[in-house]
Amino acid sequence: MNLVVVSNRITRGNANEPITGGLAAALLPIVEKSGAIWVGSSGRVRDGVQKEPFAEVEALGNGALAMLDLPAAHYGGYYEGFANSALWPALHSRADLIRVSQGDYLSYREVNAFMARALLRFRKADTAFWIQDYHFLALGAELRDLGVTQPIGFFLHTPWPARDVIEGVPHHRDLVEAMLAYDLIGFQTEDDCENFAGYLSATLGLAVADGIVMSQQHGPTRLAVFPIGIDVDKFARQAAKAVSHPDVSRLRRSLNGEKLAIGVDRLDYSKGLVNRINAFDRMWTMHPSLARTVSLLQIATPSRSAIEAYGNLQSELAKLVSDVNGRHGEVDWTPIRYLNKGFSQTVLAGLYRTAQVGVVTPLHDGMNLVAKEYVAAQNPDDPGVLVLSKFAGAANELDTALLVNPHDIDGMARTIAVALSMPFPERRMRWEAMMAKLRRGSIQHWFTSFVEALETARAERVPAPEPIEIIPALWPLRSVNA
Ligand code: G6P
C-alpha cells in the first residue's frame, strides 16, 4: 500500500530544531520508517489563483515530505479563523472562546478543497489517504467529490467534546456530515468516540451499531479508538545520551543540588498553565520549607500568537510568573524559570531526565505526548514522578502517575509536594507500570493498527476497487537528505 499522510503542520525532522506540537513529533518517525508521503502546509502562502498547487517535495527517511503553499486569500480565515478560533476552542470545551465569521468558514472549506486537489498528484491505484486532525474535517468529502475511491481514514488528535459544545460551532452539522465520507474515524479515547457517536445519534439521528455508522450519502464509516504513543526505547536512549548535552549540563550545574519540576507546553489556554503556576505559588506558601529546595522550569512555546486569546494568555502568564517570582524569590533563587521558546527533542529529552517531577496539567488534552516522553526519559535507577491531569487522554494509560484535577489548585499544590518527597521504591514501581503500558501502546502500534483497520473498513465498504485514472506527479522529487 502506498500511504499518503496529510496534516496542516509538518516537520522536516532536523534533530536540532524544535518541533511544534505532538502531532508533528509523532508522525515524523512513522513517515521516516514506513516510506509514506507526508503532505502539509509549507507555512508559506501564495497569491492569486494557482492553476496547480505548488509543493516542494523532499526525502524524509524512507518517505517524502511535500510542503504546500496554501492560498493567501484563505489562509488566515482557515488557520487563525475557523480551525483555531472555532474548532480548537470547541474541541477543548471552550465554546466561550469561539470567534468566527462566515468568511472564515468559507476559507476553511476552500483550503480543504484546495488540499484535495493537491492530493490528486500523489494518488496511485493502491494509495490510501490518512488525514490528520481538525484542520481537515471536510477533506475526505472533497476527495470523494473529486472521484477518489481509495481508502480515506481520519484521526483526531484533540478531544471530541460533549454534543452541546460542538453545537456551538457554526456549520457543525455540515462538517460532521462531511466527516462521514471517511472510511474510518479514529479517536484518542473511548470518551471522545462516545461523544462523537452521541452527536451522531442525537443531532443527526444516525445510529452507531458495532462501531459503524451508516449515512445515506457515504455508506458505512467505522469509529474506533487508537491512543497515540511514542517510540519509548528510542526516546529513553536519546534521554540517556542527552544528559551530557551542553544545555542540559548547564541546567544541572545551575541547580546546585536543588530539585527541579518541569513543564513543557505550547502556550495554549487548554494547557492549564495559569492554574499550574498558581499551584506552585500555593505550594511554596503552604510549605515554606520547599522554597530554595525546588524550582519549576516552565517552557511555554508561543503558539498562534495572532489570535487574541493566545496574546491575552501570554500577557497574563508573564505577569503571573513575575508576581510569583517577586513574592517567593531570593537574591540567589528564582522559583520559576520561565522560557518562551522551543527546544529540540534531544535537549527536551535531557531536560526531562534532569527533573524529579514532570507536571502535565492540561484542562483538556487529546493525549499529551509530553507526559509519555517525560516517563520514557527517566533514569531507571532514579525515576522522577509524573503529576498528570486526569483530563489528558494520556491519563487512561498512565494511571500510576499522580493524577490531579487541574482546576483544584490546593489539590495540585499538595500532590506536587507529595511527588517531591516520594520514596524510591514507590517511584520505581509507578514508573515501571507506566513504561510497560507505553511499550504496549507504542507509536508503531498506533500506526499499524490504524492502517490495518483502514484497509478492513474500506474492504467492508467497497468490495472491489474501481479503476481510476492516474495523474502523474507534476513536480520533481528534490532529495535533500537521501
Ligand atoms: C496540537 C494539534 C496539532 C497542531 C499542534 C501545534 O497538537 O492537535 O494539529 O499541529 O497542536 O499547533 P500549530 O497550530 O502550531 O500547528
Side-chain angles (χ1 to χ4, degrees):
M1 197 220 310
N2 172 11
L3 187 65
V4 175
V5 178
V6 185
S7 65
N8 178 70
R9 168 126 355 227
I10 45 91
T11 178
R12 297 175 109 153
N14 180 338
N16 299 317
E17 272 174 18
I19 299 181
T20 306
L23 178 151
L27 289 180
L28 176 65
I30 291 301
V31 173
E32 285 177 334
K33 277 198 197 150
S34 70
I37 301 176
W38 186 6
V39 186
S41 161
S42 64
R44 289 182 304 266
V45 293
R46 206 159 254 257
D47 280 324
V49 184
Q50 297 182 46
K51 264 211 201 129
E52 291 300 337
F54 177 83
E56 194 182 340
V57 183
E58 63 188 37
L60 188 62
N62 296 332
L65 187 60
M67 292 163 286
L68 215 64
D69 292 359
L70 296 181
H74 295 294
Y75 185 78
Y78 149 76
Y79 178 76
E80 269 112 22
F82 203 79
N84 285 314
S85 297
L87 290 172
W88 178 270
L91 292 166
H92 292 84
S93 299
R94 290 297 308 270
D96 60 306
L97 292 177
I98 295 177
R99 305 276 182 279
V100 78
S101 68
Q102 176 66 6
D104 292 341
Y105 180 63
L106 296 177
S107 290
Y108 179 85
R109 295 300 301 245
E110 281 293 334
V111 171
N112 274 240
F114 176 88
M115 180 58 91
R117 290 195 297 278
L119 290 179
L120 292 182
R121 311 286 161 203
F122 301 100
R123 179 176 61 154
K124 294 188 185 151
D126 63 343
T127 294
F129 293 96
W130 185 4
I131 316 303
Q132 313 285 326
D133 233 358
Y134 61 98
H135 307 85
F136 293 119
L137 297 181
L139 182 49
E142 299 289 351
L143 285 167
R144 295 282 181 237
D145 282 353
L146 294 174
V148 169
T149 54
Q150 283 94 337
I152 314 178
F154 175 83
F155 184 79
L156 183 69
H157 291 254
T158 70
W160 186 275
R163 180 169 73 98
D164 56 336
V165 181
I166 209 71
E167 286 191 350
V169 175
H171 307 283
H172 57 89
R173 186 182 270 272
D174 285 357
L175 284 169
V176 178
E177 280 171 357
M179 286 173 77
L180 299 179
Y182 292 116
D183 297 301
L184 171 66
I185 302 181
F187 297 91
Q188 299 273 27
T189 69
E190 294 289 347
D191 282 352
D192 301 325
C193 193
E194 277 167 22
N195 283 343
F196 189 78
Y199 176 96
L200 292 177
S201 68
T203 308
L204 300 187
L206 298 173
V208 180
D210 296 330
I212 294 182
V213 56
M214 192 67 85
S215 65
Q216 225 171 22
Q217 198 185 350
H218 298 290
T221 296
R222 182 169 282 282
L223 312 180
V225 176
F226 305 89
I228 197 167
I230 61 169
D231 188 335
V232 189
D233 295 313
K234 184 172 165 215
F235 204 83
R237 282 195 303 274
Q238 209 174 354
K241 255 214 237 142
V243 287
S244 53
H245 188 285
D247 285 358
V248 181
S249 312
R250 272 208 310 281
L251 168 69
R252 227 182 6 257
R253 276 200 303 277
S254 75
L255 288 169
N256 286 322
E258 187 191 331
K259 285 189 175 168
L260 182 72
I262 190 167
V264 177
D265 306 81
R266 277 185 314 101
L267 213 162
D268 191 297
Y269 47 79
S270 65
K271 302 294 181 185
L273 292 164
V274 170
N275 287 4
R276 187 183 306 166
I277 303 293
N278 282 329
F280 275 87
D281 181 8
R282 196 69 56 84
M283 182 188 78
W284 284 309
T285 306
M286 283 180 346
H287 306 278
S289 62
L290 288 178
R292 286 174 175 283
T293 66
V294 57
S295 61
L296 168 67
L297 169 60
Q298 178 61 57
I299 296 172
T301 317
S303 178
R304 308 173 194 167
S305 315
I307 299 172
E308 196 187 351
Y310 288 80
N312 292 345
L313 176 65
Q314 197 161 352
S315 316
E316 183 183 0
L317 273 170
K319 197 167 160 293
L320 180 62
V321 169
S322 128
D323 170 51
V324 174
N325 279 342
R327 277 186 291 107
H328 294 288
E330 300 287 347
V331 285
D332 56 347
W333 181 62
T334 306
I336 302 174
R337 302 167 184 212
Y338 181 60
L339 307 181
N340 290 142
K341 62 178 181 174
F343 288 84
S344 69
Q345 289 289 97
T346 312
V347 173
L348 284 177
L351 300 181
Y352 293 143
R353 196 174 173 103
T354 308
Q356 285 73 21
V357 177
V359 271
V360 181
T361 54
L363 307 180
H364 280 285
D365 217 331
M367 178 54 66
N368 198 303
L369 294 182
V370 168
K372 295 189 170 183
E373 289 171 355
Y374 176 79
V375 172
Q378 295 311 299
N379 176 355
D381 297 329
D382 188 19
V385 180
L386 176 66
V387 174
L388 177 61
S389 163
K390 60 182 182 178
F391 302 125
N396 289 313
E397 292 155 273
L398 303 181
D399 52 358
T400 55
L402 293 181
L403 296 184
V404 292
N405 170 1
H407 301 285
D408 175 8
I409 309 289
D410 284 331
M412 281 198 287
R414 278 195 302 273
T415 306
I416 296 163
V418 167
L420 284 162
S421 61
M422 189 181 285
F424 172 74
E426 184 177 352
R427 278 189 280 135
R428 172 81 187 212
M429 203 178 64
R430 287 175 181 272
W431 175 78
E432 275 178 347
M434 290 192 277
M435 284 298 274
K437 294 242 176 107
L438 290 185
R439 286 205 171 93
R440 280 203 293 278
S442 68
I443 186 74
Q444 291 80 4
H445 178 257
W446 176 76
F447 172 76
T448 34
S449 43
F450 188 96
V451 171
E452 279 170 21
L454 178 57
E455 282 178 327
T456 313
R458 189 59 185 167
E460 284 164 2
R461 190 166 185 155
V462 182
E466 295 163 28
I468 53 146
E469 184 198 349
I470 310 290
I471 305 173
L474 289 186
W475 48 78
L477 189 82
R478 185 165 64 78
S479 170
V480 292
N481 57 358

